[in-house]
Amino acid sequence: MSLVSSNQWAVETRTRASSMFFVIAAVAVLIAFAAPFFLSRSGIQDLFFILTMLVLAQCWNLLAGYAGLVSVGQQAFVGFGAYAMFATVILLGLDPLVGVLAGGLMGALLAIPTGFFAFRLQGAYFAIGTWVIAEVVRLSMAQWKALGGGTGTSLPTTATRDMVGVKLVQDIFGVRSAQAVDILCYWLALILAVASVVFIYRLLRSRQGLGLAAVRDNTVAARAVGVDALRIKAAVYIIVAFITGLVGALIYVQKARISPDAAFAVTDWTAYVIFIVVIGGIGAIEGPIVGVLVLYLLQTLLADYGSWYLLALGLIGIAVMLFAPRGLWGLFTERTGIQLFPVRRILTGGTNKTNGGTNV
Amino acid sequence: MTILALKNVSKSYGALKVTQDVSFTLEKGEALGVIGPNGAGKSTLFNLITGNVLVDAGQIEFDGRDVTRENPMARCLAGVGRTFQIPQPFDKLTVFENLVVAGAFGSSASESDVTGRCADILEQTGLGPRANDLAGGLSLLQRKRLELARALATQPKLLLLDEIAGGLTEGECVQLVDTVKSVHATGVSIVWIEHVLHALTSVVTRLLVLDFGKVIGIGEPDEIMNSKAVREIYLGIDV
Ligand SMILES: Nc1ncnc2c1ncn2[C@@H]1O[C@H](COP(=O)(O)OP(=O)(O)O)[C@@H](O)[C@H]1O
Ligand SMILES: [Mg+2]
């Protein structure tokens, strides 16, 4: 059918708050790049932790908050990516940075068979399925004798020392190779964090992102208007596996020592990540950013309290779920209407009958 | 030319035969009304045509192709647009975004290509003032309008309307009929399930009567409304 359109319509997603935020964010990223010039080694290590957890949390948020795929088995991709990196370095003798790429690719590759199983399961069964898969992958890696079997292994010191860029960083900062590796890993984590936030934001604002939102809201209706629900979810699952594999590999370049229990730890790579997303706010890009800062603060404050720390995390998590189901960011955005990463398509123009929406 | 053909289509839920050996054809550009008491299997008939429910037996052809085993997405892309009797909006998207999803995916176009069309459909269906509001906040009547608007956004060749006129005021009903007529005038074929008979008969040229999943009559509206079988099952219902 054709309707005669005499109106000039326009669609706007950016808001005043978001435009301002992008300027601030760009400055913050520049400062972050310069951080090794004025921060101590432990400061850089802390930032590395924050950034890598942020990427994992953004991934889990995309998976659970947007695609409705509540996985508790993302440690499968962290560990598999890390082991792929170790294999690339130890067995193939290649640069650890090549290993990081391999980690991402192997993560994506692993997602194909695991997705094939997990996508047959719904809701809670999907969650349990992903966890079982992660355990299976962990047990398989523990059989890999060349990489230390159940006890694990270390990266040869020569491998990290000769890593691309380490010499350069050593010369710039006048530091030893171990610290240069930290700085390099930090920069890579920063690039990865910025890239993944930008990527996810662009995805959500794209046509596919709109389809994803429709599937999340009502799968039957989405299919009825021509959205390929399964394809979009599968694509998200594989992309997330790729990024998670990259991060996993990068984390273990910095750690330089791997064991199946650590690399596939459900607490480190999934429980903390879920905590970050739930605390910060699920279904919003701002959520994980807030959440990772909260986790870091709690970790610093409660570091001396051992298992009380975990208990406190659990209680805080439950309290937030009860009293602020959209997390701290959700609470803030409800009060103020401010969105830093707006995805709403606001229709403007025409006969002036449409309002401008309530976004700031 | 035939746009839709059902051949001996049957569907049961357990012992309940909701669709029994239903056969009919719809010509391109035709508007067919479907009437029958509640529970007669009218909505199920739509679900069979769209692929939300698969047939137990029989065959469905759309636009010269056998679509009996195709999924709802494929049938939408082939040109089947529908409204749900119980509205199924994308709650956390705005009204406008609801249409953009349908426009972009249902007619395989880019978002910017469908913006103008979606905005025009909103105006045409009276949803213009709510364009940027969340669909989850709409009233039932507005949700029903959204169903129609979203189905139109997919640029269907065949439009299936499931009870969209109930609860409207006289003025709103006239407006709705005008909208459906203008869509029909562009060559879209229509099947319309409706209890509001005067709205229905001002658009359709044929009526199909369904009772207990069976077609008990199909023909000109006058002839159907005066037939004995229809009088019998319909006298109990608000005519
Ligand atoms: N998914 C289902 N499972 C079991 N029974 C169903 C299902 N869908 C519809 N029915 C039954 O099929 C009959 C026809 O339903 P429906 O097609 O919605 O009727 P109508 O639209 O004519 O009111 C009703 O008795 C209904 O309860
Ligand atoms: Mg019905």
Side-chain angles (χ1 to χ4, degrees), chain A residues 98-118:
Chain A
V98 178
V100 170
L101 266 183
L105 292 176
M106 292 310 282
L109 214 59
L110 177 66
I112 295 169
T114 60
F116 184 79
F117 287 113

mmCIF file of all heavy atoms in Angstrom, chain A residues 98-118:
data_model
loop_
_atom_site.group_PDB
_atom_site.id
_atom_site.type_symbol
_atom_site.label_atom_id
_atom_site.label_comp_id
_atom_site.label_asym_id
_atom_site.label_seq_id
_atom_site.Cartn_x
_atom_site.Cartn_y
_atom_site.Cartn_z
ATOM 1 N N VAL A 98 48.806 -12.796 19.568
ATOM 2 C CA VAL A 98 48.154 -13.691 18.605
ATOM 3 C C VAL A 98 47.267 -14.666 19.378
ATOM 4 O O VAL A 98 46.152 -14.985 18.966
ATOM 5 C CB VAL A 98 49.200 -14.454 17.765
ATOM 6 C CG1 VAL A 98 48.514 -15.423 16.804
ATOM 7 C CG2 VAL A 98 50.086 -13.490 17.006
ATOM 8 N N GLY A 99 47.780 -15.081 20.543
ATOM 9 C CA GLY A 99 47.019 -15.981 21.402
ATOM 10 C C GLY A 99 45.710 -15.365 21.862
ATOM 11 O O GLY A 99 44.690 -16.058 21.977
ATOM 12 N N VAL A 100 45.731 -14.055 22.140
ATOM 13 C CA VAL A 100 44.495 -13.379 22.565
ATOM 14 C C VAL A 100 43.443 -13.443 21.455
ATOM 15 O O VAL A 100 42.273 -13.774 21.690
ATOM 16 C CB VAL A 100 44.776 -11.912 22.960
ATOM 17 C CG1 VAL A 100 43.476 -11.150 23.172
ATOM 18 C CG2 VAL A 100 45.622 -11.862 24.225
ATOM 19 N N LEU A 101 43.894 -13.158 20.231
ATOM 20 C CA LEU A 101 42.971 -13.269 19.090
ATOM 21 C C LEU A 101 42.439 -14.689 18.950
ATOM 22 O O LEU A 101 41.247 -14.910 18.743
ATOM 23 C CB LEU A 101 43.703 -12.874 17.803
ATOM 24 C CG LEU A 101 43.572 -11.424 17.358
ATOM 25 C CD1 LEU A 101 44.286 -11.226 16.027
ATOM 26 C CD2 LEU A 101 42.097 -11.050 17.233
ATOM 27 N N ALA A 102 43.358 -15.635 19.096
ATOM 28 C CA ALA A 102 42.959 -17.043 19.015
ATOM 29 C C ALA A 102 41.931 -17.360 20.090
ATOM 30 O O ALA A 102 40.981 -18.116 19.858
ATOM 31 C CB ALA A 102 44.181 -17.945 19.161
ATOM 32 N N GLY A 103 42.120 -16.754 21.281
ATOM 33 C CA GLY A 103 41.164 -16.965 22.374
ATOM 34 C C GLY A 103 39.767 -16.535 21.974
ATOM 35 O O GLY A 103 38.781 -17.247 22.227
ATOM 36 N N GLY A 104 39.668 -15.376 21.327
ATOM 37 C CA GLY A 104 38.362 -14.894 20.869
ATOM 38 C C GLY A 104 37.755 -15.832 19.840
ATOM 39 O O GLY A 104 36.588 -16.234 19.938
ATOM 40 N N LEU A 105 38.578 -16.213 18.875
ATOM 41 C CA LEU A 105 38.069 -17.077 17.803
ATOM 42 C C LEU A 105 37.633 -18.433 18.349
ATOM 43 O O LEU A 105 36.572 -18.949 17.978
ATOM 44 C CB LEU A 105 39.142 -17.261 16.726
ATOM 45 C CG LEU A 105 39.459 -15.988 15.930
ATOM 46 C CD1 LEU A 105 40.604 -16.227 14.941
ATOM 47 C CD2 LEU A 105 38.210 -15.508 15.182
ATOM 48 N N MET A 106 38.443 -18.983 19.255
ATOM 49 C CA MET A 106 38.084 -20.280 19.816
ATOM 50 C C MET A 106 36.823 -20.174 20.676
ATOM 51 O O MET A 106 36.010 -21.098 20.714
ATOM 52 C CB MET A 106 39.247 -20.857 20.639
ATOM 53 C CG MET A 106 40.466 -21.248 19.811
ATOM 54 S SD MET A 106 40.067 -22.291 18.394
ATOM 55 C CE MET A 106 39.850 -23.863 19.228
ATOM 56 N N GLY A 107 36.669 -19.036 21.356
ATOM 57 C CA GLY A 107 35.444 -18.809 22.126
ATOM 58 C C GLY A 107 34.227 -18.855 21.216
ATOM 59 O O GLY A 107 33.226 -19.534 21.500
ATOM 60 N N ALA A 108 34.317 -18.133 20.090
ATOM 61 C CA ALA A 108 33.206 -18.107 19.145
ATOM 62 C C ALA A 108 32.939 -19.501 18.587
ATOM 63 O O ALA A 108 31.786 -19.920 18.428
ATOM 64 C CB ALA A 108 33.511 -17.126 18.014
ATOM 65 N N LEU A 109 34.042 -20.217 18.317
ATOM 66 C CA LEU A 109 33.916 -21.559 17.768
ATOM 67 C C LEU A 109 33.225 -22.498 18.761
ATOM 68 O O LEU A 109 32.356 -23.291 18.400
ATOM 69 C CB LEU A 109 35.318 -22.096 17.435
ATOM 70 C CG LEU A 109 35.426 -23.013 16.229
ATOM 71 C CD1 LEU A 109 34.947 -22.308 14.979
ATOM 72 C CD2 LEU A 109 36.874 -23.466 16.057
ATOM 73 N N LEU A 110 33.617 -22.360 20.043
ATOM 74 C CA LEU A 110 33.006 -23.182 21.095
ATOM 75 C C LEU A 110 31.506 -22.892 21.212
ATOM 76 O O LEU A 110 30.719 -23.770 21.554
ATOM 77 C CB LEU A 110 33.704 -22.911 22.434
ATOM 78 C CG LEU A 110 33.141 -23.649 23.657
ATOM 79 C CD1 LEU A 110 33.363 -25.155 23.526
ATOM 80 C CD2 LEU A 110 33.776 -23.130 24.951
ATOM 81 N N ALA A 111 31.132 -21.644 20.897
ATOM 82 C CA ALA A 111 29.729 -21.255 21.053
ATOM 83 C C ALA A 111 28.818 -21.998 20.081
ATOM 84 O O ALA A 111 27.616 -22.134 20.333
ATOM 85 C CB ALA A 111 29.586 -19.748 20.860
ATOM 86 N N ILE A 112 29.391 -22.482 18.974
ATOM 87 C CA ILE A 112 28.523 -23.137 17.978
ATOM 88 C C ILE A 112 27.977 -24.466 18.503
ATOM 89 O O ILE A 112 26.758 -24.634 18.570
ATOM 90 C CB ILE A 112 29.260 -23.269 16.625
ATOM 91 C CG1 ILE A 112 29.516 -21.856 16.076
ATOM 92 C CG2 ILE A 112 28.439 -24.088 15.640
ATOM 93 C CD1 ILE A 112 30.457 -21.804 14.905
ATOM 94 N N PRO A 113 28.852 -25.408 18.927
ATOM 95 C CA PRO A 113 28.272 -26.646 19.488
ATOM 96 C C PRO A 113 27.518 -26.421 20.802
ATOM 97 O O PRO A 113 26.461 -27.024 21.014
ATOM 98 C CB PRO A 113 29.486 -27.554 19.697
ATOM 99 C CG PRO A 113 30.662 -26.635 19.741
ATOM 100 C CD PRO A 113 30.315 -25.484 18.859
ATOM 101 N N THR A 114 28.040 -25.547 21.694
ATOM 102 C CA THR A 114 27.346 -25.371 22.977
ATOM 103 C C THR A 114 25.993 -24.697 22.752
ATOM 104 O O THR A 114 25.006 -25.054 23.389
ATOM 105 C CB THR A 114 28.171 -24.537 23.974
ATOM 106 O OG1 THR A 114 28.408 -23.253 23.415
ATOM 107 C CG2 THR A 114 29.471 -25.193 24.327
ATOM 108 N N GLY A 115 25.954 -23.739 21.825
ATOM 109 C CA GLY A 115 24.682 -23.091 21.515
ATOM 110 C C GLY A 115 23.694 -24.094 20.961
ATOM 111 O O GLY A 115 22.500 -24.047 21.258
ATOM 112 N N PHE A 116 24.211 -25.010 20.161
ATOM 113 C CA PHE A 116 23.364 -26.025 19.565
ATOM 114 C C PHE A 116 22.610 -26.802 20.644
ATOM 115 O O PHE A 116 21.421 -27.089 20.516
ATOM 116 C CB PHE A 116 24.233 -26.974 18.735
ATOM 117 C CG PHE A 116 23.461 -28.008 17.991
ATOM 118 C CD1 PHE A 116 22.819 -27.685 16.807
ATOM 119 C CD2 PHE A 116 23.367 -29.305 18.474
ATOM 120 C CE1 PHE A 116 22.098 -28.646 16.122
ATOM 121 C CE2 PHE A 116 22.645 -30.264 17.797
ATOM 122 C CZ PHE A 116 22.014 -29.934 16.617
ATOM 123 N N PHE A 117 23.310 -27.106 21.764
ATOM 124 C CA PHE A 117 22.646 -27.795 22.873
ATOM 125 C C PHE A 117 21.800 -26.835 23.700
ATOM 126 O O PHE A 117 20.624 -27.075 23.956
ATOM 127 C CB PHE A 117 23.673 -28.480 23.789
ATOM 128 C CG PHE A 117 24.286 -29.695 23.177
ATOM 129 C CD1 PHE A 117 25.628 -29.717 22.843
ATOM 130 C CD2 PHE A 117 23.517 -30.825 22.923
ATOM 131 C CE1 PHE A 117 26.196 -30.841 22.256
ATOM 132 C CE2 PHE A 117 24.073 -31.952 22.348
ATOM 133 C CZ PHE A 117 25.425 -31.960 22.011
ATOM 134 N N ALA A 118 22.431 -25.732 24.114
ATOM 135 C CA ALA A 118 21.779 -24.832 25.076
ATOM 136 C C ALA A 118 20.493 -24.220 24.504
ATOM 137 O O ALA A 118 19.520 -24.011 25.226
ATOM 138 C CB ALA A 118 22.745 -23.729 25.499
#
